[in-house]
């Protein structure tokens, strides 16, 4: 199986499962990721999604280069099923648990997630330039937003890797964890998010997207509208009641 898909309580985990190929993505894996993300959005019991890679060496080495010649025309390549798009379009909050090399599309996969944490042995690179092309899954936009224009240019124009500590210093990841503790930390973080009001969590995700794509005044007005929508939900009523009664809230996605 090119991916493993597991649901444990309110947390789903998608594991890229080609460790012998550094979890490089094939068209079949792309389709499997799309199906898994669609199930995550359909299933209201799932409140947070973890993306990780199988094996100790790689999160994802991007697209399997050997499979790229299988596209009959450049137009077919342009309109391919894209695993990064599927992850970026997830409605549910997502966490990348980067357990090793994140290269090319693997870096884009991590960047497509809302939160990124990495093992201390992780490395990040946009090496496409070394093969004669550039990334196509939002690489430049995601990097520029995450680490600034100069650092993004350094990665995009050299193709050279950075280690986990530099990624942390640049803001590419939020935390660096020892490899054997990475998934425990990812699950703990996912369970924390899953315990929050799910409509509010999904709205916060949408709001962040707007913050990057709208002018400031429009983004602030949009945020106020989203806040008003959340404020009218039963979960918000429950949150206020729980606060007054000094108890933990029970959110029901209503």
């Amino acid at each position: 199986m090119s991916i493993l898909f597991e649901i444990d309580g309110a947390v789903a985990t998608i594991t890229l499962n080609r460790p012998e190929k550094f979890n490089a993505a094939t068209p079949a894996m792309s389709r499997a990721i799309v199906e898994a993300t669609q199930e995550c959005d359909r299933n209201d019991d799932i409140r947070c999604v973890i993306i990780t890679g199988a094996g100790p060496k790689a999160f994802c080495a991007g697209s399997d280069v050997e499979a790229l010649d299988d596209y009959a025309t450049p137009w077919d390549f342009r309109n391919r099923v894209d695993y990064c798009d599927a992850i970026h379009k997830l409605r549910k909050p997502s966490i990348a648990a980067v357990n090793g090399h994140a290269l090319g599309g693997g870096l884009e996969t991590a960047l497509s997630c809302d939160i990124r944490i990495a093992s201390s042995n992780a490395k990040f690179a946009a090496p496409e330039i070394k093969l004669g092309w550039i990334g196509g899954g939002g690489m430049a936009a995601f990097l520029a937003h995450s680490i600034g224009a100069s650092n993004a240019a350094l990665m995009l124009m050299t193709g050279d890797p950075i280690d986990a500590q530099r990624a942390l210093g640049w803001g590419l990841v939020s935390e660096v964890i020892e490899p054997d503790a990475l998934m425990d930390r990812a699950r703990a973080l996912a369970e924390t998010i899953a315990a929050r009001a799910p409509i509010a969590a999904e709205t916060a995700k949408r709001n962040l997207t707007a913050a990057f794509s709208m002018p400031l005044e429009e983004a602030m007005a949009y945020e106020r509208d989203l806040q008003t929508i959340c404020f009218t939900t039963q979960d918000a009523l429950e949150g206020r009641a729980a606060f007054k009664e000094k108890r933990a809230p029970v959110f029901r996605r209503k």
Side-chain angles (χ1 to χ4, degrees):
M1 297 176 65
S2 60
I3 72 166
L4 303 176
F5 181 58
E6 302 170 288
I7 301 173
D8 184 3
V11 177
T13 301
I14 299 171
T15 304
L16 311 181
N17 189 39
R18 297 183 74 217
E20 73 285 355
K21 292 287 189 179
F22 293 93
N23 299 317
T26 63
M29 181 188 283
S30 293
R31 291 190 293 271
I33 292 170
V34 170
E35 291 172 5
T37 56
Q38 290 173 344
E39 175 58 24
C40 288
D41 278 342
R42 280 193 299 265
N43 187 339
D44 285 344
D45 292 333
I46 296 172
R47 297 187 179 185
C48 192
V49 183
I50 299 170
I51 313 290
T52 194
K57 294 182 178 180
F59 172 71
C60 177
S63 295
D64 189 328
V65 175
E66 294 180 2
L68 295 180
D69 289 335
D70 293 342
Y71 292 100
T73 69
W75 190 241
D76 289 335
F77 175 71
R78 169 63 180 84
N79 293 293
R80 68 194 182 278
V81 174
D82 192 274
Y83 51 98
C84 298
D85 286 350
I87 294 167
H88 176 60
K89 291 175 182 178
L90 261 171
R91 192 173 72 247
K92 309 293 177 67
S94 59
I95 299 167
V98 182
N99 56 305
H101 289 67
L103 311 177
L107 173 55
E108 290 171 332
T109 298
L111 288 165
S112 296
C113 294
D114 302 308
I115 298 169
R116 293 171 291 281
I117 63 174
S119 62
S120 57
N121 66 337
K123 291 188 181 297
F124 302 84
E128 289 91 344
I129 195 167
K130 296 181 178 182
L131 298 178
W133 63 88
I134 63 171
M139 182 77 83
F142 285 140
L143 278 178
H145 282 143
S146 297
I147 62 178
S150 179
N151 291 332
L154 188 152
M155 293 189 71
L156 291 167
M157 294 176 186
T158 69
D160 291 338
I162 63 171
D163 62 21
Q165 286 301 324
R166 178 171 288 191
L168 179 65
W170 284 359
L172 183 58
V173 299
S174 296
E175 298 177 6
V176 173
I177 313 292
E178 287 305 305
D180 60 356
L182 179 68
M183 288 308 297
D184 286 342
R185 174 57 182 149
R187 290 190 185 96
L189 184 56
E191 287 169 1
T192 296
I193 294 170
R196 306 302 187 228
I199 294 174
E202 292 175 28
T203 304
K205 176 168 181 166
R206 184 176 292 272
N207 192 32
L208 278 169
T209 300
F212 280 117
S213 60
M214 289 182 176
L216 178 60
E217 293 299 324
E218 290 181 21
M220 292 176 66
Y222 184 64
E223 179 176 83
R224 186 63 55 83
D225 291 339
L226 293 178
Q227 181 192 45
T228 301
I229 292 168
C230 283
F231 194 75
T232 63
T233 63
Q234 292 183 30
D235 280 349
L237 291 171
E238 165 64 9
R240 296 195 295 275
F243 179 82
K244 293 175 184 176
E245 297 165 15
K246 295 181 172 56
R247 60 173 175 80
V250 179
F251 297 120
R252 302 186 185 281
R253 194 186 172 77
K254 295 182 179 180

